[in-house]
Amino acid sequence: MRGLRSRRGFLEQCGLGGLTLTAGAWGGPALGAIAGQDPDLIVINGVVGTMDPAKPTAQAFAVKGDRFLAVGTTEEMKSIAGPRTRIVDAGGGMVVPGFNDTHNHGRGEALLYGVNAGNPYVVEYVTIQSIIDKLKARAAETRPGEWIVANFYDDTKIKDKRPLTIQDIDKASTEHPIEVRLRGGHASVFNSKAFAQAGVTKNTPDILGGTYEKNEKGELSGRVTDNAIRKMNSFGVRTVYSPAEAADRALKGFEFISGKFAEFGLTSVSYDAGDDLIPTIQGARDRKNLKTWISYDASPAVVDGMIQAGVGSGFGDDWFRFGGTREHSLDGGLSSRTMSMTRPYIGVTPAYKGNLVELQKDTNEWAERVHRAGIRMNMHANGEPSIQQALDAYDYAQSRFPRPNTRPKLTHCSLPSAEQMKRIKAADAQPSMFSTYMYYNADKFRYYGADMAEHMMPYRDMINAGINASTGSDFYPGPFDPLMAIQGMVTRKGFNGETWGASQKVTVEEAIRCSTIAGAYSTFEENTKGSITPGKLADYVILSDDLYKVNPEKIIDVKIVETVVGGESRYHA
């Protein structure tokens, strides 16, 4: 990304030479209804939850091109139909704006080609032996000495009722370094070969923001957290693919995951990924296999290129737009139990308060640099100590270079204090909070305790405070099913029947708003998407049932009938 002299040069080096140049497009006005033109499509007989306060409910709407044309009753919409207008009968099902995932890492290659230690999409318990067997199978087709990596390991969804250990993974291979990644990130389990090549022993001290965990005998357990994982991964040999092979795997993986997003009702996704994925996204778009709008949270290398080329957040078009920075990590993860805390985790010996992975001065310097360049800050901050560090860094940058309407992104923002929520509101910061965790990870809350759970992922408190909280699955860590998210937000009950943080329950309508228009506001696109409003992009999902009427504990069972993005069907059951 060095030596870039123009925006066009920057785009060409990113692999986006054909991108429409629409700098400063964020926050533009929505178009009005297109008068005097027959609609291409009319949807009738639906329960339309528009998420538009000017017209909250309707029965039908019309679409022209990629925009909503009009909203009203079935009879009103039929009256404007032309001879070529296609009529779709929703059959009494609910229709909502397309769902928006404001934080997602899903690339797709791991799903197609990787070793998956658990189920990426739903709750499923597996055995340790099943993981060993998958690793053995991969070892048999991998050259000795090369890394083997498995994803989607969930240490609380093991039938053996104990976590994976270094000894377990050694049964798969001692000739290959092996990493089994917790699906929540921030922790992995390694085998003996991986520790040996990194020179890590039971006597190796922990490092800033990372640990080499020990078992009750003082031996390495295999579990490594946060910054220490990076050290482990800096050694050894990886499987190398030719440029053509790598590009093909990336493209096929991305097209697969893009189709999956549409299958689950997502129409907009904020992607947090490396710069190598940008040409892959463009390739899928060229092949007409891009199923959702993309807001790209830029990797450090791309941020450097943006600064050199004078490209700020919001640059791009509806299909691909530069969002903020890639999440700048300040602490560990919630589900992996490494997030920063003000008190020790329950049941962990010795006493442990999680990981802060960066010093305040370094966060301040980073924040000022990207803020001055007109690039939106995006900081990964789960626990109260890291949220404090993020807010202080934002204030530091603003004090040196004041800019209006910056909407800094707080990825996760899982456990803010009441005072911090006041600061979040004042800064119009945008929490992208875990969406499916209330349902999928209910078995993790016992490590935090009932009192903390009452304030964790506090959608109710955020809404009451007037904060625009949106839903981010963080996939791979969390499943990206919006209906799983809505059920968890409404009931606060997990797959296992446990209820945590009942005071944070929201209504169905509020959960849908967090999953649609709140996401659009978070990415400065509230005037072009997020609600079924004339002039906005025609993104919507037809559901098999009315979410307002079904048993809240059965929302996850409602089917996606059709997903439409910009007036075009991207998935149909």
Side-chain angles (χ1 to χ4, degrees), residues 336-468:
S336 54
R337 286 88 70 198
T338 68
M339 68 181 250
S340 59
M341 299 267 282
T342 57
R343 73 180 191 194
Y345 283 84
I346 296 171
V348 177
T349 303
Y352 174 65
K353 294 183 180 180
N355 298 330
L356 275 171
V357 301
E358 185 174 80
L359 299 175
Q360 182 73 59
K361 67 179 183 64
D362 296 324
T363 310
N364 290 353
E365 291 174 4
W366 170 86
E368 182 181 3
R369 178 172 178 261
V370 299
H371 177 71
R372 282 181 177 274
I375 301 171
R376 183 190 187 203
M377 284 180 266
N378 173 15
M379 290 174 275
H380 165 116
N382 266 300
E384 187 177 334
S386 63
I387 295 170
Q388 188 74 19
Q389 187 163 323
L391 292 171
D392 287 349
Y394 174 72
D395 286 348
Y396 176 90
Q398 275 283 41
S399 69
R400 282 154 179 74
F401 192 78
R403 288 179 48 230
N405 194 30
T406 56
R407 303 184 197 178
K409 186 174 182 179
L410 295 175
T411 291
H412 309 322
C413 198
S414 298
L415 194 59
S417 68
E419 184 59 35
Q420 286 172 342
M421 280 197 278
K422 293 178 183 177
R423 294 181 66 185
I424 291 168
K425 171 61 177 175
D428 197 21
Q430 300 297 304
S432 172
M433 294 200 292
F434 288 117
S435 57
T436 56
Y437 268 33
M438 283 78 76
Y439 179 88
Y440 181 85
N441 276 322
D443 51 359
K444 308 289 194 305
F445 285 96
R446 66 179 184 271
Y447 293 99
Y448 296 93
D451 56 336
M452 277 198 166
E454 289 298 330
H455 304 284
M456 193 170 284
M457 291 171 282
Y459 280 99
R460 172 80 277 146
D461 288 347
M462 293 278 190
I463 292 170
N464 289 349
I467 295 169
N468 186 74

Side-chain angles (χ1 to χ4, degrees), residues 9-311:
F10 166 71
L11 292 177
E12 289 174 351
Q13 186 153 339
C14 284
L16 291 167
L19 187 70
T20 305
L21 300 179
T22 55
W26 274 6
L31 300 176
I34 306 169
Q37 297 188 42
D38 293 339
D40 298 320
L41 166 72
I42 290 175
V43 176
I44 62 172
N45 296 328
V47 179
V48 183
T50 67
M51 299 302 116
D52 182 346
K55 195 177 186 67
T57 59
Q59 294 177 318
F61 56 85
V63 173
K64 179 67 178 179
D66 64 355
R67 303 276 169 166
F68 290 116
L69 177 64
V71 181
T73 67
T74 291
E75 292 307 313
E76 287 171 339
M77 295 303 100
K78 282 184 174 180
S79 72
I80 63 172
R84 296 184 180 179
T85 301
R86 184 165 65 92
I87 306 292
V88 174
D89 192 330
M94 192 171 193
V95 187
V96 296
F99 295 117
N100 192 325
D101 189 331
T102 56
H103 183 66
N104 195 299
H105 301 279
R107 297 175 61 99
E109 293 110 306
L111 297 168
L112 284 185
Y113 306 110
V115 179
N116 294 326
N119 192 312
Y121 310 112
V122 299
V123 175
E124 180 183 354
Y125 278 71
V126 302
T127 65
I128 287 174
Q129 189 60 49
S130 72
I131 299 173
I132 294 171
D133 290 345
K134 289 179 179 180
L135 293 170
K136 277 185 177 179
R138 181 53 56 92
E141 59 188 39
T142 303
R143 286 190 291 268
E146 289 187 349
W147 273 98
I148 296 171
V149 177
N151 293 291
F152 300 108
Y153 163 57
D154 191 321
D155 62 350
T156 60
K157 295 179 179 64
I158 299 293
K159 291 181 180 179
D160 305 71
K161 297 183 179 180
R162 68 170 179 84
L164 194 67
T165 67
I166 187 173
Q167 291 83 8
D168 294 323
I169 309 178
D170 280 348
K171 293 177 182 177
S173 176
T174 55
E175 293 186 335
H176 302 82
I178 300 177
E179 177 186 9
V180 180
R181 296 171 177 166
L182 269 74
R183 77 167 300 167
H186 303 276
S188 292
V189 188
F190 294 88
N191 69 344
S192 298
K193 177 73 172 180
F195 282 106
Q197 72 179 12
V200 173
T201 71
K202 64 181 180 180
N203 299 316
T204 301
D206 292 337
I207 63 176
L208 172 67
T211 60
Y212 306 103
E213 296 189 3
K214 317 295 192 300
N215 60 24
E216 65 278 1
K217 296 180 181 179
E219 304 290 338
L220 290 168
S221 70
R223 193 175 192 267
V224 178
T225 69
D226 288 304
N227 286 348
I229 297 172
R230 298 185 181 92
K231 179 178 179 181
M232 296 288 290
N233 282 326
S234 66
F235 298 90
V237 179
R238 307 276 171 175
T239 302
V240 177
Y241 300 99
S242 71
E245 288 173 327
D248 183 65
R249 286 167 62 94
L251 181 59
K252 288 177 178 175
F254 181 78
E255 290 181 344
F256 174 80
I257 194 68
S258 190
K260 278 289 183 183
F261 290 156
E263 180 182 333
F264 281 83
L266 293 173
T267 61
S268 293
V269 177
S270 290
Y271 246 100
D272 187 303
D275 52 296
D276 61 316
L277 193 63
I278 296 178
T280 302
I281 295 172
Q282 183 64 33
R285 177 179 180 177
D286 292 342
R287 287 156 51 105
K288 301 189 184 304
N289 285 330
L290 181 56
K291 306 294 186 182
T292 69
W293 313 115
I294 299 292
S295 176
Y296 171 73
D297 287 339
S299 69
V302 173
V303 167
D304 290 345
M306 292 171 72
I307 292 172
Q308 291 179 50
V311 172

